[in-house]
Amino acid sequence: MTLKVLIVDDEALARSRMRTLLGECTDPRADVVGEGSNAVQAMEQIQRTGCDLVMLDIHMPGVDGMALAATLREMAAPPAVVFVTAYAEHAVHAFELEAVDYLTKPVRRERLQQALQKVVRSRSASETAPDNGLPESLIIQERGRSERVALSDVVYLKAELKYITVRTVDKEHIFDGALSDLEQRYSHLFVRVHRNALVSRRAVRAVEKHNDPVEGEGWTVRLDGVDERLAVSRRQLAAVREALMS
């Protein structure tokens, strides 16, 4: 796949470097269809030639990148947005505007390639999503960076102390929030197995009886992609079995 990319940055040197980096990307490839130094030029380019992706700076004269991204969201078929900036503190706002990724300067080619791959995945997901939007996700803030984690990649959510462990097949994240809020918002994706855990409905593979030396006989749920078994409370057993059968 080749992405049609528009570069928007008020610094000519930054645009030139981004063009060079994009030319080095191969999976997917990127075809730079235009450049702009401000929001007005960007909108003219998008309306004239269209694009799949806007590589967008934040601090520009006139309308800044955040305002431009908000305008693009109102389009019938908006391009994906990846912010490229020297300022890390705008990441949360950027993801609220449904940016696919957020890169800080100087950008490494490997990191840019990852961002392009995210754009491809989000486009594929949007083609099948009923609202034609980005897949539902959580914004994870860890160690001074923000990351979008698609809920379709999450195997379980487990409340521990003041935080929630967000477990994917490959990694664990820490999320600051309430399990009850996540259950209410995403009950179509997750089922409660215990007072401290929600599991992905699609990941449920088996409900098994076990004997604990301390607690006695009980139940656990086996999930796709992880070795860990989570306890199932008797109160939630019927709901978990229903998820298994659906």
Side-chain angles (χ1 to χ4, degrees):
M1 180 179 185
T2 301
L3 293 172
K4 296 188 296 181
V5 183
L6 174 67
I7 303 170
V8 184
D9 196 306
D10 63 324
E11 298 181 3
L13 185 60
R15 295 198 304 272
S16 177
R17 172 169 169 73
M18 179 55 66
R19 180 184 283 270
T20 299
L21 287 173
L22 287 167
E24 296 173 355
C25 292
T26 58
D27 182 26
R29 296 183 180 276
D31 177 19
V32 178
V33 295
E35 297 182 11
S37 61
N38 55 54
V40 174
Q41 292 180 5
M43 288 302 299
E44 289 176 349
Q45 290 266 11
I46 292 170
Q47 292 170 359
R48 183 169 62 250
T49 62
C51 63
D52 302 314
L53 167 64
V54 179
M55 304 296 300
L56 181 58
D57 189 19
I58 292 180
H59 292 283
M60 298 185 296
V63 177
D64 67 12
M66 291 292 184
L68 176 57
T71 299
L72 294 178
R73 287 181 66 190
E74 303 302 318
M75 295 176 62
V81 170
V82 170
F83 283 105
V84 185
T85 177
Y87 304 92
E89 63 267 23
H90 301 293
V92 174
H93 187 197
F95 285 124
E96 289 174 349
L97 291 171
E98 297 186 347
V100 175
D101 210 339
Y102 187 98
L103 308 181
T104 52
K105 301 176 181 178
V107 178
R108 295 180 296 107
R109 180 180 59 81
E110 294 79 5
R111 183 66 182 86
L112 176 60
Q113 187 77 79
Q114 291 173 5
L116 297 182
Q117 290 169 353
K118 286 185 179 181
V119 172
V120 171
R121 289 196 297 269
S122 71
R123 284 171 58 86
S124 298
S126 67
E127 290 172 359
T128 58
D131 62 353
N132 290 323
L134 289 172
E136 294 171 295
S137 58
L138 296 176
I139 305 302
I140 306 293
Q141 300 179 57
E142 293 179 308
R143 302 180 183 88
R145 66 188 296 267
S146 299
E147 180 178 351
R148 183 191 296 274
V149 176
L151 289 175
S152 58
D153 293 335
V154 175
V155 180
Y156 69 74
L157 303 159
K158 189 174 181 181
E160 297 177 295
L161 299 177
K162 296 181 179 180
Y163 301 98
I164 295 173
T165 296
V166 179
R167 183 70 159 91
T168 67
V169 171
D170 301 317
K171 190 175 179 182
E172 284 189 357
H173 304 271
I174 300 299
F175 180 73
D176 187 4
L179 197 66
S180 57
D181 291 342
L182 295 176
E183 180 183 23
Q184 183 175 1
R185 293 178 61 187
Y186 304 116
S187 60
H188 58 297
L189 298 176
F190 297 92
V191 59
R192 183 176 286 273
V193 297
H194 200 273
R195 59 181 174 79
N196 70 341
L198 306 174
V199 302
S200 168
R201 292 179 178 275
R202 63 169 182 77
V204 176
R205 281 297 167 262
V207 180
E208 300 171 337
K209 185 177 291 187
H210 80 115
N211 286 289
D212 187 277
V214 177
E215 298 182 1
E217 185 179 276
W219 296 86
T220 61
V221 59
R222 178 156 52 88
L223 303 168
D224 266 352
V226 296
D227 294 331
E228 183 180 357
R229 309 289 177 90
L230 298 183
V232 178
S233 68
R234 294 186 181 279
R235 182 178 181 181
Q236 304 299 332
L237 185 57
V240 179
R241 281 175 168 164
E242 181 179 345
L244 174 64
M245 300 303 294
S246 61

